[in-house]
C-alpha cells in the first residue's frame, strides 16, 4: 500500500507533552543497506524512530539505506551505532529477542501482541525497552539471546516461518501501535508480580547494570576456580546470565549482589593472606 498524508505532522514534531517511551529497534550486524532502509520505513510507518545498529556490514551512513527508506529521514538521522549488542541495549530495562527457532534456554516465549502489551505497560511506568533482530542470514546467536528477558516469536506456518528483516520489524511495530489503547483497561500483561515496582528507590536494573555485576561475578568465579573445566565456561556463564535475567533485578538488588560478591571475595582473600579489595569501582550508583 502507498500514500502519505502530508498534512499530518510527524510524531516527533507534534506539540504537547513529551511522547511516552517507545521500543528501541536494535539490528545486530545487518548486512544490506537496503534492509536498514526498509526497516526505517517500516518503523516510521508506525511512528517509531529509535533505530540502533550493531556493526553494520557495509558501514554507516549508507546511501542504499537512504534510498530504500523512501522518506523515513527522521529514523535515519537518529540512528546510533554500537560496537556490541551489550552496549546497544545497555540503557534498557526490558529486552525481547526475536527468534524463529527454539533455544536451549529457559526464557518466556511471547507472541508480538502480548509483547506489545507488555511494552506499553513498561512505557507507562517510564521504563526503557527494546527488540533485538539478528543478521539476515543467520539470526541472533545464543550469546545475543542470553541478554534478553524474553523471546519474541511470531506464530506462522511452521513449514515456512522466515520473514525478511523489514517484515519482522513492521509486524512488531504495528502491534505496538495497535496496543496504544488496548492495555489501559484490560492489559494483556505478564502475570509477573514484579510488573509493578513496590517500593520507592526500587527501579528495574538496566542491562548495563546487570552486565556490570555479571562481569564482576565472572572474574571472582574464575579466581575461585568455579568455572572449570574451561571448555564448559561459556555454557556455564550463559546459564548464570539466564538466571539473573529471569529474576528481573532492581537496581537496589544489583547493589546488594555487588556487596555479596565483595564480602565473599574479601573473606577468601583474607584466608589466603591477600588484601581485601574493598568497595571496588564496580558498584553502580543509585539513580
Amino acid at each position: 500500500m502507498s500514500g502519505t498524508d502530508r498534512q499530518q505532522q510527524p510524531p516527533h514534531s507534534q506539540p504537547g507533552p513529551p511522547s511516552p517511551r517507545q521500543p528501541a529497534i536494535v539490528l545486530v550486524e545487518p548486512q544490506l543497506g537496503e534492509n536498514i532502509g526498509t526497516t526505517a520505513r517500516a518503523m516510521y510507518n508506525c511512528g517509531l524512530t529509535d533505530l540502533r545498529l550493531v556493526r553494520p556490514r557495509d558501514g554507516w551512513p549508507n546511501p542504499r539505506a537512504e534510498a530504500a527508506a523512501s522518506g523515513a529521514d527522521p529514523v535515519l538521522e537518529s540512528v546510533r551505532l554500537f560496537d556490541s549488542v551489550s552496549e546497544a541495549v545497555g540503557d534498557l530495562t526490558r529486552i525481547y529477542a526475536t527468534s524463529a527457532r527454539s533455544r536451549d534456554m529457559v526464557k518466556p516465549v511471547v507472541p508480538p501482541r502480548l509483547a506489545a502489551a507488555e511494552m506499553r505497560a513498561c512505557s507507562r511506568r517510564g521504563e526503557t525497552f527494546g527488540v533485538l533482530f539478528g543478521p539476515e542470514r543467520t539470526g541472533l546467536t545464543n550469546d545475543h539471546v542470553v541478554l534478553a528477558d524474553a523471546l519474541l516469536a511470531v506464530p506462522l506456518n511452521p513449514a515456512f516461518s522466515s520473514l525478511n528483516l523489514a517484515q519482522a520489524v513492521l509486524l512488531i511495530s504495528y502491534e505496538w501501535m495497535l496496543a496504544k489503547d488496548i492495555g489501559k483497561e484490560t492489559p494483556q500483561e505478564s502475570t509477573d508480580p514484579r510488573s509493578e515496582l513496590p517500593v520507592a528507590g526500587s527501579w528495574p536494573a538496566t542491562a548495563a547494570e546487570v552486565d556490570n555485576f555479571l562481569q564482576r561475578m565472572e572474574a571472582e568465579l574464575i579466581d575461585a576456580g568455579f568455572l572449570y573445566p574451561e571448555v564448559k565456561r561459556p555454557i556455564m556463564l550463559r546459564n548464570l546470565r539466564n538466571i539473573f535475567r529471569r529474576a528481573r533485578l532492581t537496581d537496589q538488588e544489583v547493589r546488594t549482589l555487588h556487596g555479596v560478591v565483595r564480602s565473599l571475595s574479601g573473606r577468601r582473600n583474607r584466608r589466603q593472606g591477600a588484601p581485601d579489595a574493598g568497595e571496588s569501582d564496580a558498584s553502580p550508583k543509585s539513580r
Side-chain angles (χ1 to χ4, degrees):
M1 293 184 291
S2 62
T4 298
D5 185 352
R6 303 288 181 185
Q7 301 302 313
Q8 295 292 328
Q9 291 179 303
H12 71 288
S13 65
Q14 291 178 351
S19 59
R21 294 184 186 274
Q22 59 174 237
I25 302 298
V26 184
L27 305 187
V28 180
E29 299 177 5
Q31 296 169 297
L32 299 175
E34 292 89 341
N35 288 343
I36 299 174
T38 52
T39 292
R41 180 178 182 178
M43 289 174 59
Y44 205 48
N45 284 153
C46 301
L48 303 184
T49 56
D50 188 355
L51 177 58
R52 308 179 184 192
L53 306 180
V54 180
R55 297 189 303 273
R57 186 190 67 181
D58 296 336
W60 190 262
N62 188 310
R64 293 188 174 183
E66 295 174 8
S70 300
D73 297 335
V75 181
L76 298 184
E77 290 167 0
S78 63
V79 163
R80 285 184 280 173
L81 295 179
F82 296 89
D83 292 327
S84 69
V85 178
S86 59
E87 290 175 349
V89 301
D91 64 319
L92 306 180
T93 61
R94 186 156 182 84
I95 303 164
Y96 295 85
T98 56
S99 179
R101 64 183 189 275
S102 60
R103 303 281 181 160
D104 188 22
M105 299 184 197
V106 179
K107 283 189 183 293
V109 179
V110 296
R113 190 153 299 177
L114 177 56
E118 290 179 348
M119 288 190 287
R120 284 289 179 182
C122 288
S123 179
R124 291 193 293 273
R125 294 193 297 267
E127 294 183 45
T128 50
F129 46 94
V131 185
L132 289 172
F133 296 84
E136 296 91 321
R137 187 174 61 86
T138 60
L140 295 169
T141 68
N142 282 347
D143 287 336
H144 300 147
V145 172
V146 77
L147 299 172
D149 299 286
L151 286 174
L152 202 165
V154 182
L156 297 172
N157 176 7
F160 190 70
S161 59
S162 66
L163 296 169
N164 68 40
L165 190 55
Q167 284 177 321
V169 172
L170 179 60
L171 192 156
I172 293 165
S173 301
Y174 181 65
E175 290 291 352
W176 159 262
M177 189 174 69
L178 283 186
K180 180 178 180 181
D181 299 313
I182 292 175
K184 291 181 180 177
E185 292 80 20
T186 57
Q188 302 179 37
E189 297 174 34
S190 166
T191 56
D192 182 350
R194 301 169 64 94
S195 59
E196 296 295 339
L197 294 169
V199 295
S202 290
W203 188 255
T206 65
E209 288 170 334
V210 176
D211 189 61
N212 185 31
F213 161 70
L214 290 171
Q215 288 184 42
R216 179 180 191 174
M217 183 178 70
E218 176 185 344
E220 293 295 342
L221 290 175
I222 291 173
D223 189 49
F226 177 77
L227 298 176
Y228 182 84
E230 191 169 343
V231 67
K232 293 185 178 181
R233 184 177 296 174
I235 295 176
M236 296 170 75
L237 288 174
R238 192 180 300 146
N239 289 339
L240 286 170
R241 284 183 174 273
N242 267 321
I243 291 171
F244 286 103
R245 288 306 308 181
R246 285 201 306 273
R248 298 207 64 197
L249 299 169
T250 66
D251 53 0
Q252 177 60 58
E253 289 167 340
V254 170
R255 289 195 295 274
T256 299
L257 288 170
H258 273 290
V260 169
V261 171
R262 181 174 66 249
S263 176
L264 292 175
S265 62
R267 185 182 296 269
R268 189 179 70 253
N269 289 336
R270 287 191 294 272
R271 285 202 307 265
Q272 296 172 351
D276 190 345
E279 269 294 314
S280 175
D281 58 352
S283 182
K285 300 293 187 291
S286 175
R287 284 184 179 81

